[in-house]
Amino acid sequence: KRIMENPVETILTNVRGTENILLAANQHQKKVLIASTSEVYGKAMALKKCGQSLAESDDWTLGPTTKRRWAYACSKAMDEFLARAFYEEKNLRVILIRLFNTVGARQTSRYGMVIPTFVQAALRHEPILVHGNGAQTRSFTHVEDAVRAMMLLMNCPGAIGEVFNIGSGETISILKLAKKIKQATQSRSQIIKIPYEKIYPHGFEDMQARTPNIKKLNQITGYTPKKNLNHIIEDVISYSLKGD
């Protein structure tokens, strides 16, 4: 939601921030890892056959520039182009990663992160608000797995100049996620579906599915996720209860 409400800040923070990091890394000839996002794939998943996932070499498919939703994806794609340019033109040791919904115990609901948002509502027995019809599916990654993958890549010479998905192949619909969290918290919350237009400014467009292919990451580092969605939900719930 913040991205929709502050497009100028979003674009400039991403592009200028990455530019500053790359310039500094190049000046001191330091290896650098640039965090991109699964958002760059846009609507590419819609072109996939059932059961297929998103690979790093896939084309990305975005909506028109009149849809504010795509500004974030474009700015992160520009980060990737810029990092690759530094690698190819200046021989800067760059590694690019695309993160898929990384979640951890300390993550807050401040920016609309779905799992902590649902957990907080469930623990308070408040309505759990599902945007749209809830059929859209997502894949979630425990932050410990994401950090482990980054460390493996930073210590892997073959990762230089390459881009890698970091995520999990486990998927779930947002409606099922809400029900799962409600059950895990033994909450009395109602699950309520809210149309997108009542939540987001004009121009929002959601993806119905987004699942990463992590074969490339596995082949070069041996990485496989160690924590599944149940672990993620348990950790977020436990931390939230400690905070209360």
Side-chain angles (χ1 to χ4, degrees), residues 167-235:
S168 165
E170 182 184 14
T171 61
I172 188 171
S173 74
I174 299 302
L175 182 58
K176 287 183 178 179
L177 177 66
K179 292 177 179 178
K180 192 177 186 70
I181 289 173
K182 178 178 177 178
Q183 182 179 14
T185 55
Q186 298 182 334
S187 176
R188 299 188 301 275
S189 296
Q190 284 186 297
I191 297 174
I192 300 175
K193 298 176 183 178
I194 303 293
Y196 287 117
E197 56 268 23
K198 290 190 176 181
I199 302 294
Y200 295 102
H202 176 72
F204 180 80
E205 189 173 357
D206 199 10
M207 276 67 64
Q208 290 306 300
R210 187 183 292 153
T211 306
N213 182 320
I214 58 173
K215 183 177 179 180
K216 182 179 179 181
L217 176 61
N218 173 264
Q219 288 178 334
I220 199 167
T221 68
Y223 166 91
T224 55
K226 292 183 177 180
K227 295 201 170 186
N228 59 27
L229 181 58
N230 288 334
H231 293 129
I232 292 173
I233 293 173
E234 289 169 7
D235 284 356

Side-chain angles (χ1 to χ4, degrees), residues 13-120:
T13 296
N14 283 339
V15 178
R16 288 178 177 174
T18 299
E19 178 188 12
N20 290 338
I21 292 295
L22 290 169
L23 287 170
N26 188 60
Q27 180 181 353
H28 299 284
Q29 281 302 296
K30 297 293 184 180
K31 186 190 301 183
V32 60
L33 184 146
I34 299 296
S36 185
T37 172
S38 59
E39 288 281 322
V40 299
Y41 289 108
K43 297 184 282 187
M45 196 78 181
L47 304 177
K48 293 282 187 179
K49 294 180 181 179
C50 182
Q52 289 185 321
S53 52
L54 296 164
E56 294 86 348
S57 58
D58 285 345
D59 292 338
W60 41 292
T61 305
L62 303 182
T65 56
T66 51
K67 296 282 187 179
R68 193 181 297 179
R69 171 70 175 77
W70 305 110
Y72 177 71
C74 282
S75 65
K76 296 302 287 186
M78 182 54 67
D79 290 349
E80 292 192 25
F81 280 121
L82 187 58
R84 285 282 306 177
F86 268 84
Y87 166 70
E88 294 170 353
E89 182 178 331
K90 302 181 182 297
N91 296 314
L92 182 64
R93 293 173 297 163
V94 171
I95 300 169
L96 286 156
I97 61 170
R98 293 173 182 164
L99 295 164
F100 281 73
N101 294 310
T102 304
V103 186
R106 297 180 184 84
Q107 189 179 54
T108 72
S109 58
R110 182 178 179 186
Y111 297 117
M113 304 303 182
V114 65
I115 289 182
T117 298
F118 283 3
V119 167
Q120 288 296 322

